[in-house]
Amino acid sequence: MDVQEIRQKLEDSGLRCTTQRYAVMSFLMDHHEHPTAAEIYEAVNRVDPRSSRATTYNNLNDLVEAGLVRQVASEGRAARYDARGEQHHHFICDRCGNVEDLDWYELPQPALASLGRRVVRDTELIVRGLCTQCAPRRRSQAQNS
Amino acid sequence: MDVQEIRQKLEDSGLRCTTQRYAVMSFLMDHHEHPTAAEIYEAVNRVDPRSSRATTYNNLNDLVEAGLVRQVASEGRAARYDARGEQHHHFICDRCGNVEDLDWYELPQPALASLGRRVVRDTELIVRGLCTQCAPRRRSQAQNS
DNA sequence: CTCTCACCTTAGACATAATCTAATCTTCGA
DNA sequence: TCGAAGATTAGATTATGTCTAAGGTGAGAG
């Protein structure tokens, strides 16, 4: 991903392109495994230790607010982040907690009547179950010990 | 909700019907505002202070695993729980974090080919944006102070 | 060029959420 | 009634995220 392109994206969103903010954005664009904030913090500083924990969180929040990054729902545990490239859905494994991408397809939107005055920013499909690693080899027996 | 019915549900799932577990399940079936674990803990003990924090968490996890309760994705913040009555979708407010129900409607399932060996348990739609309270009265100006 | 102010970053304390530990208690079936 | 598996407990511990107060930085005004 081009340096200029990232800088442009940031500035178009009214965010200064600081070393630390650039590093977070760049990392997210290169890594599609839905890293947690802690993973991003660690990765960014492994290369060049110049970003504090608070800054990493601040920048992630800024990027989410600007719409450049989205938070992936992964209940209970640490929030995971995703530089929104092409659209996709998510699969969350009940057992190991991994979040995987699923191919995108159009979703019917909620009826306007049921939304009322709410303003929709984003719609995400979450499929839950057992991932390839955790799925049983044989039929049935899904929920045994 | 009938005592026998809850007891039955628990035992059908291989869980003993203990005082504490019953209290959690019963509370969730009576309250549909997606309480957090902390709220459940507090509510259960307000009636009859006989459940420790750890037990509340243990029981919630047991119930989720048994499929009697589901966790509602609300990233970053405390997990919220929902005794799965009728199906519905969820709306999460960006600003205040509230989780509201949206009317249920069928969702197209992911293509089998894209799932591979994964086992699907549940599919949920998450809509994000601003709730009725937080939505601006007038157009634009969404992010001002 | 340099001043300035809004924006950013920082370390560490703090707050909140959830799990772990090790001991004890309960319950169910034999 | 007994024993073992399953549950519960208080409190420590870990994980995650936010806040605070102080200082740094850079883009535009002059």
Side-chain angles (χ1 to χ4, degrees), chain B residues 8-20:
Chain B
Q8 194 62 50
K9 269 179 192 284
L10 292 175
E11 290 178 349
D12 287 352
S13 303
L15 297 172
R16 282 190 190 159
C17 183
T18 64
T19 309
Q20 293 84 350

Side-chain angles (χ1 to χ4, degrees), chain A residues 107-145:
Chain A
L107 291 174
Q109 293 300 301
L112 282 183
S114 73
L115 283 174
R117 266 234 316 288
R118 286 182 273 235
V119 179
V120 174
R121 176 172 62 75
D122 196 14
T123 303
E124 181 183 1
L125 183 72
I126 306 233
V127 179
R128 270 179 252 276
L130 298 174
C131 73
T132 305
Q133 302 304 311
C134 299
R137 267 89 240 265
R138 308 176 59 88
R139 66 209 168 76
S140 77
Q141 298 296 350
Q143 84 291 26
N144 84 5
S145 70

Side-chain angles (χ1 to χ4, degrees), chain B residues 13-82:
Chain B
S13 303
L15 297 172
R16 282 190 190 159
C17 183
T18 64
T19 309
Q20 293 84 350
R21 192 171 284 152
Y22 176 89
V24 168
M25 189 65 198
S26 170
F27 179 80
L28 273 175
M29 293 181 84
D30 286 346
H31 295 82
H32 293 176
E33 334 88 45
H34 316 293
T36 62
E39 286 162 359
I40 295 167
Y41 167 67
E42 211 224 328
V44 160
N45 280 282
R46 198 156 42 215
V47 183
D48 184 5
R50 277 199 264 166
S51 192
S52 75
R53 222 154 51 82
T55 300
T56 303
Y57 277 99
N58 287 343
N59 283 331
L60 282 168
N61 288 338
D62 292 345
L63 292 170
V64 169
E65 208 165 316
L68 295 177
V69 163
R70 72 173 164 168
Q71 258 183 326
V72 182
S74 56
E75 63 266 4
R77 308 169 186 263
R80 290 170 177 278
Y81 297 86
D82 184 356

Side-chain angles (χ1 to χ4, degrees), chain A residues 11-123:
Chain A
E11 291 179 349
D12 286 352
S13 302
L15 297 172
R16 279 190 192 160
C17 183
T18 64
T19 310
Q20 294 83 351
R21 191 170 285 153
Y22 176 88
V24 167
M25 189 64 198
S26 169
F27 180 80
L28 274 174
M29 293 181 85
D30 286 347
H31 294 82
H32 293 176
E33 333 89 44
H34 316 292
T36 62
E39 285 162 0
I40 295 167
Y41 168 66
E42 212 224 329
V44 161
N45 281 282
R46 198 156 42 216
V47 182
D48 185 4
R50 277 200 265 165
S51 193
S52 75
R53 222 158 52 85
T55 299
T56 303
Y57 278 98
N58 287 343
N59 282 331
L60 282 168
N61 289 338
D62 293 344
L63 292 170
V64 168
E65 208 166 317
L68 296 177
V69 163
R70 72 172 164 170
Q71 261 184 323
V72 181
S74 56
E75 65 265 3
R77 308 225 162 242
R80 290 169 177 278
Y81 297 86
D82 184 356
R84 41 167 73 237
E86 348 72 72
Q87 288 193 286
H88 55 265
H89 298 308
H90 287 121
F91 181 94
I92 303 181
C93 180
D94 285 338
R95 176 132 28 148
C96 67
N98 256 3
V99 179
E100 302 171 346
D101 290 348
L102 291 179
D103 292 340
W104 169 258
Y105 53 92
E106 282 296 332
L107 291 174
Q109 293 300 301
L112 282 183
S114 73
L115 283 174
R117 266 234 316 288
R118 286 182 273 235
V119 179
V120 174
R121 176 172 62 75
D122 196 14
T123 303

